[in-house]
Amino acid sequence: MRMTELAGVQVPVIGQGTWRMGEERSERRREVAALQQGIELGLTLIDTAEMYGEGGAEEVVGEAIRGRRERVFLVSKVYPHNAGRRGLPTACERSLRRLGTECIDLYLLHWRGAYPLEETVEAFERLREQGKIRRWGVSNFDVDDLEELGEPACATNQVLYNPEARGIEFDLLPWQQRRGMPLMAYCPVGQGGRLLGSPALREVAARHAATPAQVALAWALRQPGVIVIPKAVDALHLRQNAAAAALQLSDEDLRLIDAAYPPPTRKRSLQMV
């Protein structure tokens, strides 16, 4: 598995997302098994959030990493309405309990809310000093938000990024690359896998004996400093995701994708799901 640096630690460029996990009790065994298989394949960065299944996804992750915690780079996210001086420590404790761990490797503000950024950063730093988290970052922040934040301690920004949602290439992605701030891409194959039927991605996939999902992941990973966090609960999909790190797209491939999904030529509002 290809690795990249995030706040002084090496992490895989492809991790595992958990959105929509923990919502159905009947799926729990399958979801736990998928995360464990992903870990064995080298997809050791696992991203979750207190919002996902209202804590259910964190419980699934906690079960999956039991006995494997030292192998996993664990990411979770706090609701904006819990991101105040008093609420953030309490939310973190709940997440730690559900995850079955004493420390979260990377704790993110899920999106910007009503609390002043200074207050949230203060609470993050206190948790870091207490050993509850190792580093912190943000999600769904645009350039103006990051400039207002003005914090070199911010480890990452997690945003929507895939061929049909590439507005960040105009300004946000270059801004982060210039500052050495990794970008974590969620929904890298489109929301609900919407890009899997793309004729352009299918054509490129056929050239490489690959899948459209692998092409979408390789497309995002062509950019320096990008980490992708696709979700998969199928064994074959997990193996395909892991193999996507080795897929190299040609200039011709990229031109074909550009023709179907043109790169931005102006500032666009940050897309979110």
Side-chain angles (χ1 to χ4, degrees), residues 6-12 44-48 58 61 65 68-77 92 95-96 99 101-108 124 127-128 131-138 153-156 184:
L6 192 157
V9 65
Q10 291 292 308
V11 299
T44 53
L45 184 154
I46 299 179
D47 175 83
T48 191
E58 288 183 326
V61 173
I65 68 175
R68 299 170 172 81
R69 176 65 184 95
E70 71 285 350
R71 299 171 59 188
V72 172
F73 186 89
L74 189 57
V75 184
S76 194
K77 299 183 282 292
C92 184
S95 289
L96 289 169
L99 292 163
T101 188
E102 296 180 352
C103 183
I104 296 170
D105 295 302
L106 176 60
Y107 200 32
L108 308 180
F124 274 146
L127 288 171
R128 188 178 60 80
K132 304 291 185 180
I133 66 174
R134 291 194 172 92
R135 51 194 67 78
W136 60 267
V138 296
C154 180
T156 190
M184 298 181 71

Side-chain angles (χ1 to χ4, degrees), residues 63 80 89 107 126 132 137 140 150 174 188 209 215 221 233 247:
E63 185 174 342
Y107 200 32
R126 189 164 298 153
K132 304 291 185 180
N140 296 305
V215 171
L221 293 176
V233 292
L247 178 59

Side-chain angles (χ1 to χ4, degrees), residues 11-57:
V11 299
V13 295
I14 301 178
Q16 299 189 76
T18 62
W19 188 29
R20 306 308 296 269
M21 286 189 181
E23 295 182 358
E24 300 291 340
R25 176 61 62 171
S26 61
E27 289 292 302
R28 182 159 184 152
R29 182 177 298 181
R30 183 168 174 247
E31 291 167 349
V32 168
L35 291 172
Q36 291 175 338
Q37 181 185 355
I39 293 170
E40 297 305 315
L41 290 167
L43 309 177
T44 53
L45 184 154
I46 299 179
D47 175 83
T48 191
E50 67 171 346
M51 185 187 81
Y52 300 165
E54 292 301 321

Side-chain angles (χ1 to χ4, degrees), residues 43 65 82 103 130 154 159 170 188 199 206 209 231 239 241 247 251:
L43 309 177
I65 68 175
N82 288 333
C103 183
Q130 294 169 351
C154 180
V159 297
F170 184 78
K231 175 197 170 187
R239 292 194 297 272
N241 286 351
L247 178 59
D251 290 343

Side-chain angles (χ1 to χ4, degrees), residues 6-255:
L6 192 157
V9 65
Q10 291 292 308
V11 299
V13 295
I14 301 178
Q16 299 189 76
T18 62
W19 188 29
R20 306 308 296 269
M21 286 189 181
E23 295 182 358
E24 300 291 340
R25 176 61 62 171
S26 61
E27 289 292 302
R28 182 159 184 152
R29 182 177 298 181
R30 183 168 174 247
E31 291 167 349
V32 168
L35 291 172
Q36 291 175 338
Q37 181 185 355
I39 293 170
E40 297 305 315
L41 290 167
L43 309 177
T44 53
L45 184 154
I46 299 179
D47 175 83
T48 191
E50 67 171 346
M51 185 187 81
Y52 300 165
E54 292 301 321
E58 288 183 326
E59 292 176 352
V60 170
V61 173
E63 185 174 342
I65 68 175
R66 194 173 301 139
R68 299 170 172 81
R69 176 65 184 95
E70 71 285 350
R71 299 171 59 188
V72 172
F73 186 89
L74 189 57
V75 184
S76 194
K77 299 183 282 292
V78 62
Y79 267 126
H81 63 254
N82 288 333
R85 191 172 292 111
R86 294 183 178 180
L88 202 151
T90 304
C92 184
E93 289 292 346
R94 289 194 297 265
S95 289
L96 289 169
R97 185 168 58 252
R98 289 188 291 258
L99 292 163
T101 188
E102 296 180 352
C103 183
I104 296 170
D105 295 302
L106 176 60
Y107 200 32
L108 308 180
L109 174 61
H110 208 150
W111 64 90
R112 191 166 181 179
Y115 286 103
L117 293 177
E118 296 84 356
E119 183 174 341
T120 300
V121 169
E122 177 187 328
F124 274 146
E125 286 295 333
R126 189 164 298 153
L127 288 171
R128 188 178 60 80
E129 292 165 1
Q130 294 169 351
K132 304 291 185 180
I133 66 174
R134 291 194 172 92
R135 51 194 67 78
W136 60 267
V138 296
S139 180
N140 296 305
F141 270 44
D142 208 342
V143 172
D144 56 347
D145 300 306
L146 291 172
E147 288 179 339
E148 182 181 342
L149 179 67
E151 278 288 341
C154 180
T156 190
N157 181 27
Q158 185 181 118
V159 297
L160 176 68
Y161 183 46
N162 59 55
E164 63 180 1
R166 58 188 298 187
I168 65 168
E169 291 178 353
F170 184 78
D171 55 353
L172 178 61
L173 181 56
W175 190 97
Q176 291 192 216
Q177 289 171 329
R178 287 194 299 271
R179 289 159 178 79
M181 180 189 292
L183 184 140
M184 298 181 71
Y186 69 77
C187 294
V189 297
Q191 188 176 5
R194 193 166 67 187
L195 280 168
L196 301 184
S198 162
L201 267 61
R202 284 180 174 273
E203 182 175 337
V204 173
R207 296 175 181 174
H208 294 271
T211 68
Q214 288 177 313
V215 171
L217 297 179
W219 178 88
L221 293 176
R222 83 198 189 286
Q223 292 280 2
V226 170
I227 299 164
V228 294
I229 46 173
K231 175 197 170 187
V233 292
D234 177 83
L236 176 59
H237 292 165
L238 281 161
R239 292 194 297 272
Q240 291 171 341
N241 286 351
L247 178 59
Q248 297 292 322
L249 302 181
S250 68
D251 290 343
E252 184 179 349
D253 295 332
L254 296 176
R255 282 193 293 270

